[in-house]
């Protein structure tokens, strides 16, 4: 039984003994003691005052006295402003570390056929531009959350929804058709997604010039945006595409294939894979069918111009359009189709959409729309909302081409890792191929950790140089700590790593701090899963690496003369190494053997 549970039960018994009252154990709060207080676990006594009828300090002291008698693991206590701080015996911590030493799955829960089914949609790119830094945050959050939820014993499915249709796709198609003169990714040597993205930007440039010209002729900007020839051509193409025009469909398929080949290379670079990919070009059809059926059933209403709406007045919201007057669909329509198709595929217990915070309202409405259409699982939809990634010079703008291209960023990170590692001079005996692999691992570790260490809800200002600092709050620092531990373990004679006789170990102050962090690993995994927040995992592993480095500096290991203390420190080192690697894997970060 974990010590927190023992303490909770003992507090309940103490309240009954001292104050003749039974207490719901859910009201007893036992938490880790703050770093600035002495102790290991803290009982918050304020919820107990209704039973004691005494001051917080007096209540804490009376309960503390009983706990010392009831639990031999408690060696002492102190009270600070109503917080009962308990110190746990060295024997408890030594028993803990020796017991988990051989447990390769410590802190992890396995899934089975009865486990919760969770579908996580992330990435969701448009086929009119390459992946950029914002997409990187989306992919890293989705991947990491999936791994964390797996570690919590869930059956998790990673899915992608490709936005391969709509007016934005037609913009790229019109621009290529009008201005490309037949050039292709092959003829230009440009990666497919970047090639198509170039024409999306070109469309916007030409479109803006047309708008300006129309404004000069005396009409308003709003009118000019509607009347510009290019936007009219794009809208007409969208209608032809939805009607199944063969020529338009052939162009659409060719350009999308160019983009997919580019996406695949970027996903491979990031280490991202999906269990299934959905395409809006398929799911919008299902959504349209559902909307038309709901209209016939009287769940929706149609305006005189033919547009179909859902009235959301009872929710304090505006009406929501689901079909335009010309019969074409909107994002909500295709999201309805995607959600219904996905539920039929997985019968999920939860469906999580990893999408930026500018879509908060959209996903709130999606859940309401599905509920109004009488899908019983509509309340299983959740939105993992995240903040934007900005550059030191400001916000990125896809339409103007002012973005950090994902491929270029990865290449820049690898170059920086190469320069930094070369200066340290620790890869002399490696082949060029081995060196390049290490540079790649360090670069991606730096990028992923920098993105994931920040709470998803917060905006990030990305700084590549800061992210790759080997001595900072970074991925390379943690990777280097792992490499340092493994180097130590290789130097250690295997016979020195054994379960020590704890009776021969008197003082474990330094060891205890590290053991306590390892002890919290299962709780951290649970907390990160419950809060849907990879930053909890990222900052835990940084704290672990930082504490180990201090331990390594303060405590002799291979030169320790007491064989049992030496064995203990090697066990702690080995377990720290394992947990660093396991935790980094949840963040999608590899660890090198040397740096």
């Amino acid at each position: 039984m974990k010590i927190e549970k023992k303490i909770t039960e003992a507090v309940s018994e103490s309240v009954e003994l001292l104050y003749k009252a039974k207490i719901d154990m859910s009201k007893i709060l036992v938490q880790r003691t703050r770093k600035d207080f002495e102790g290991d676990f803290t009982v918050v006594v304020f919820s107990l005052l209704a039973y004691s009828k005494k001051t917080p300090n007096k209540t804490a002291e009376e309960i503390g006295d009983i706990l010392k008698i009831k639990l031999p693991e408690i060696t002492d206590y102190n009270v600070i402003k109503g917080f009962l701080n308990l110190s746990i015996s060295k024997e408890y911590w030594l028993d803990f570390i020796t017991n988990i030493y051989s447990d390769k799955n410590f802190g992890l829960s396995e899934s089975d056929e009865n486990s919760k089914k969770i579908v996580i949609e992330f990435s969701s790119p448009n086929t009119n531009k390459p992946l950029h830094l914002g997409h990187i945050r989306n992919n890293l959050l989705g991947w990491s959350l999936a791994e964390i939820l797996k570690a919590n014993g869930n059956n998790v499915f990673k899915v992608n929804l490709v936005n391969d249709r709509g007016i934005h796709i037609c913009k790229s198609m019109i621009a290529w058709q009008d201005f490309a003169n037949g050039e292709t990714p092959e003829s230009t040597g440009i990666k497919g997604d970047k090639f198509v993205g170039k024409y999306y930007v070109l469309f916007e440039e030409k479109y803006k010039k047309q708008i300006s010209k129309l404004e000069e002729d005396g009409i308003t900007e709003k009118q000019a945006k509607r009347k510009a020839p290019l936007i009219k051509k794009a809208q007409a193409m969208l209608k032809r595409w939805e009607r199944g025009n063969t020529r338009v469909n052939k162009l659409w398929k060719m350009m999308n294939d160019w983009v997919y080949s580019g996406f695949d290379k970027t996903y491979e670079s990031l280490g991202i894979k999906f269990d299934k990919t959905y395409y809006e070009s398929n799911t919008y059809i299902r959504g349209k069918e559902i909307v038309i059926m709901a209209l016939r059933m009287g769940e929706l209403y149609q305006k005189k111009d033919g547009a179909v709406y859902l009235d959301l007045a009872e929710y304090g919201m505006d009406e929501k359009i689901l079909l335009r007057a010309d019969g074409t669909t909107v994002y909500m329509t295709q999201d309805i189709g995607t959600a219904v198709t996905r539920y039929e595929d997985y019968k999920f217990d939860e469906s999580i959409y990893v999408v930026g915070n500018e879509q908060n309202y959209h996903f709130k409405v999606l859940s309401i729309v599905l509920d109004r259409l009488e899908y019983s699982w509509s309340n299983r939809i959740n939105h993992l909302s995240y903040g934007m990634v900005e550059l030191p010079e400001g916000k990125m703008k896809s339409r103007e081409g002012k973005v950090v291209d994902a491929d270029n960023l990865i290449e820049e990170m690898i170059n920086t890792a190469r320069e930094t590692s070369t200066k340290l001079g620790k890869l002399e005996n490696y082949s060029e191929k081995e060196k390049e692999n290490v540079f790649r691992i360090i670069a991606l570790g730096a990028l992923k950790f920098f993105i994931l260490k920040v709470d998803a809800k917060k905006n990030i200002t990305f700084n590549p140089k800061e992210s790759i600092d080997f001595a900072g709050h970074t991925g390379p620092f943690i990777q280097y700590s792992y490499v340092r531990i493994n180097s130590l373990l290789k130097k250690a004679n295997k016979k020195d790593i054994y379960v020590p006789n704890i009776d021969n170990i008197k003082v474990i102050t330094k060891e205890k701090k590290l053991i306590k962090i390892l002890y919290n690993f299962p709780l951290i995994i649970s907390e990160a899963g419950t809060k849907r927040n990879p930053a909890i995992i990222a900052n835990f592993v940084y704290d672990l690496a930082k504490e180990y480095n201090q331990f390594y500096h303060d405590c002799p290991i291979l030169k320790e003369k007491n064989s049992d203390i030496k064995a203990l420190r090697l066990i702690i080192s080995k377990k720290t190494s394992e947990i660093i690697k396991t935790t980094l894997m949840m963040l999608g970060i590899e660890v090198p053997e040397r740096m």
Side-chain angles (χ1 to χ4, degrees):
M1 183 188 298
K2 292 194 72 173
I3 190 64
E4 297 99 309
K5 188 173 181 182
K6 283 188 176 184
I7 293 170
T8 300
E9 291 180 355
V11 169
S12 175
E13 293 169 3
S14 300
V15 169
E16 185 171 1
L17 178 67
L18 289 167
Y19 312 123
K20 314 303 180 191
K22 286 189 176 291
I23 183 172
D24 181 352
M25 284 200 287
S26 65
K27 294 182 178 180
I28 300 172
L29 179 59
V30 179
Q31 59 191 26
R32 287 166 283 175
T33 302
R34 283 170 41 180
K35 292 180 181 179
D36 49 336
F37 288 171
E38 182 183 347
D40 301 311
F41 295 97
T42 296
V43 180
V44 182
V45 302
F46 297 104
S47 62
L48 311 178
L49 302 184
Y51 305 97
S52 70
K53 312 296 183 186
K54 297 178 181 179
T55 65
N57 278 16
K58 184 63 176 175
T59 303
E61 289 169 1
E62 290 180 345
I63 292 174
D65 288 339
I66 299 294
L67 293 183
K68 278 189 70 175
I69 296 170
K70 281 185 169 293
L71 298 177
E73 294 92 342
I74 297 175
T75 58
D76 201 2
Y77 75 84
N78 65 83
V79 177
I80 299 177
K81 296 181 180 179
F83 292 92
L84 173 58
N85 304 312
L86 307 171
S87 295
I88 307 301
S89 69
K90 74 161 189 177
E91 286 77 18
Y92 179 85
W93 296 116
L94 291 173
D95 281 341
F96 163 75
I97 192 65
T98 53
N99 285 335
I100 68 163
Y101 169 58
S102 58
D103 183 0
K104 297 290 184 183
N105 294 314
F106 170 67
L108 308 178
S109 300
E110 291 190 9
S111 62
D112 57 35
E113 59 184 16
N114 297 315
S115 297
K116 188 176 179 181
K117 292 181 182 177
I118 302 177
V119 176
I120 301 180
E121 177 194 296
F122 60 98
S123 196
S124 305
N126 296 326
T127 55
N128 63 331
K129 54 192 173 187
L131 302 179
H132 56 62
L133 180 53
H135 291 116
I136 287 179
R137 188 178 198 190
N138 181 295
N139 279 279
L140 299 186
L141 281 170
W143 178 271
S144 181
L145 179 60
E147 294 303 304
I148 290 167
L149 292 175
K150 280 183 185 177
N152 278 280
N154 300 291
N155 287 317
V156 182
F157 306 93
K158 305 182 184 85
V159 302
N160 189 2
L161 173 67
V162 178
N163 302 297
D164 62 342
R165 61 165 300 279
I167 192 68
H168 52 294
I169 308 301
C170 291
K171 288 178 179 180
S172 300
M173 293 164 65
I174 288 292
W176 184 83
Q177 195 176 60
D178 287 2
F179 310 117
N181 295 317
E183 72 173 11
T184 66
E186 291 78 14
S187 69
T188 59
I190 301 175
K191 188 165 168 274
D193 51 341
K194 294 183 181 182
F195 179 84
V196 173
K198 179 180 79 167
Y199 283 98
Y200 177 67
V201 172
L202 181 61
F203 178 97
E204 292 296 334
E205 290 173 356
K206 300 283 188 181
Y207 179 38
K208 283 183 178 179
K209 287 180 181 178
Q210 290 182 352
I211 292 170
S212 297
K213 180 66 170 63
L214 289 169
E215 286 183 280
E216 289 173 7
D217 292 340
I219 67 174
T220 66
E221 181 185 8
K222 186 175 182 180
Q223 291 172 323
K225 285 182 177 179
R226 291 199 305 266
K227 292 186 176 183
L230 273 176
I231 197 66
K232 284 188 172 183
K233 289 180 76 171
Q235 289 167 343
M237 178 177 277
L238 178 59
K239 290 178 187 177
R240 295 200 305 276
W241 184 89
E242 289 206 6
R243 291 170 187 156
N245 181 280
T246 302
R247 186 177 174 186
V248 172
N249 192 274
K250 184 178 180 182
L251 172 62
W252 167 79
K253 188 176 186 308
M254 178 180 71
M255 294 185 71
N256 275 353
D257 285 345
W258 291 341
V259 174
Y260 298 148
S261 66
F263 283 171
D264 288 345
K265 291 176 183 176
T266 307
Y267 287 138
E268 184 179 359
S269 295
L270 288 170
I272 300 292
K273 295 179 182 178
F274 300 97
D275 296 303
K276 183 164 184 152
T277 297
Y278 293 86
Y279 298 90
E280 283 193 0
S281 54
N282 295 326
T283 62
Y284 95 98
I285 299 171
R286 185 68 186 281
K288 192 171 184 178
E289 291 170 350
I290 292 167
V291 168
I292 291 171
M293 181 62 70
L295 177 63
R296 290 172 181 166
M297 299 291 290
E299 294 294 330
L300 309 173
Y301 72 94
Q302 192 167 27
K303 291 190 176 182
K304 290 181 180 179
D305 64 359
V308 178
Y309 287 81
L310 174 63
D311 185 2
L312 297 174
E314 65 182 278
Y315 302 96
M317 299 178 181
D318 296 332
E319 59 189 9
K320 184 65 182 177
I321 185 170
L322 298 178
L323 282 180
R324 296 188 185 96
D326 62 6
T328 57
T329 59
V330 295
Y331 278 122
M332 186 60 69
T333 320
Q334 48 219 32
D335 275 347
I336 292 168
T338 304
V340 172
T341 303
R342 192 171 293 160
Y343 184 76
E344 292 171 350
D345 288 343
Y346 290 103
K347 298 295 187 295
F348 54 73
D349 297 295
E350 183 179 7
S351 180
I352 301 173
Y353 294 81
V354 181
V355 183
N357 55 20
E358 74 276 11
Q359 295 296 328
N360 288 351
Y361 180 79
H362 176 86
F363 285 101
K364 183 177 181 181
V365 173
L366 175 61
S367 183
I368 291 172
V369 170
L370 290 169
D371 180 55
R372 284 288 298 273
L373 296 179
E374 298 186 353
Y375 289 102
S376 60
W377 42 266
S378 62
N379 62 346
R380 301 180 194 176
I381 286 177
N382 288 310
H383 174 205
L384 176 62
S385 172
Y386 63 88
M388 296 297 98
V389 184
E390 298 181 352
L391 304 173
E393 57 269 25
K395 190 174 181 180
M396 296 184 290
K397 297 178 182 178
S398 294
R399 292 182 182 181
E400 298 175 13
K402 295 178 180 178
V403 297
V404 175
D405 178 87
D407 300 314
N408 293 345
L409 176 60
I410 292 170
E411 185 177 352
E412 179 187 341
M413 296 292 293
I414 291 173
N415 289 336
T416 305
R418 184 183 295 111
E419 291 171 11
T420 306
S421 298
T422 302
K423 286 178 184 177
L424 292 175
K426 294 184 178 289
L427 300 175
E428 289 90 347
N429 298 326
Y430 270 34
S431 68
E432 287 304 312
K433 185 177 180 180
E434 290 170 328
K435 286 180 182 179
E436 288 302 315
N437 187 48
V438 173
F439 301 149
R440 178 191 62 81
I441 290 172
I442 293 171
L444 288 172
L447 173 62
K448 293 180 179 183
F449 188 81
F450 193 96
I451 296 290
L452 293 172
K453 73 179 181 180
V454 180
D455 188 293
K457 293 182 176 62
K458 296 180 180 179
N459 289 352
I460 297 175
T461 299
F462 184 72
N463 186 324
K465 290 183 180 179
E466 182 183 329
S467 73
I468 215 158
D469 181 358
F470 278 64
H473 187 177
T474 66
F477 168 75
I478 301 165
Q479 290 171 319
Y480 183 74
S481 300
Y482 172 84
V483 169
R484 166 180 269 181
I485 299 171
N486 276 13
S487 176
L488 168 76
L489 294 174
K490 285 177 182 177
K491 291 177 183 176
N493 192 313
K494 287 186 178 180
K495 69 181 182 182
D496 290 333
I497 307 178
Y498 59 88
V499 176
N501 183 340
I502 62 176
D503 293 331
N504 295 335
I505 302 172
K506 294 182 179 180
V507 180
I508 61 160
T509 304
K510 296 291 183 182
E511 292 89 344
K512 180 180 172 182
K513 287 184 72 175
L514 199 49
I515 292 171
K516 282 171 64 177
I517 295 178
L518 299 175
Y519 179 88
N520 289 327
F521 182 51
L523 178 63
I524 291 296
I525 293 177
S526 176
E527 183 183 354
T530 300
K531 294 182 177 179
R532 308 292 194 256
N533 189 0
I536 293 171
I537 289 285
N539 289 293
F540 164 82
V541 72
Y542 170 73
D543 288 341
L544 176 59
K546 185 179 177 182
E547 186 60 44
Y548 182 85
N549 278 281
Q550 189 62 50
F551 166 76
Y552 182 88
H553 178 269
D554 294 343
C555 300
I557 300 177
L558 298 182
K559 293 182 179 180
E560 172 57 49
K561 295 180 180 179
N562 183 309
S563 59
D564 284 307
I565 293 177
K566 179 180 180 180
L568 172 66
R569 290 175 181 171
L570 287 170
I571 281 180
I572 292 172
S573 298
K574 193 168 190 300
K575 205 66 199 176
T576 299
S577 167
E578 290 175 6
I579 290 180
I580 286 176
K581 184 175 183 178
T582 298
T583 309
L584 287 179
M585 285 175 62
M586 289 184 212
L587 303 175
I589 297 174
E590 298 176 72
V591 287
E593 292 304 311
R594 285 175 59 189
M595 284 176 70

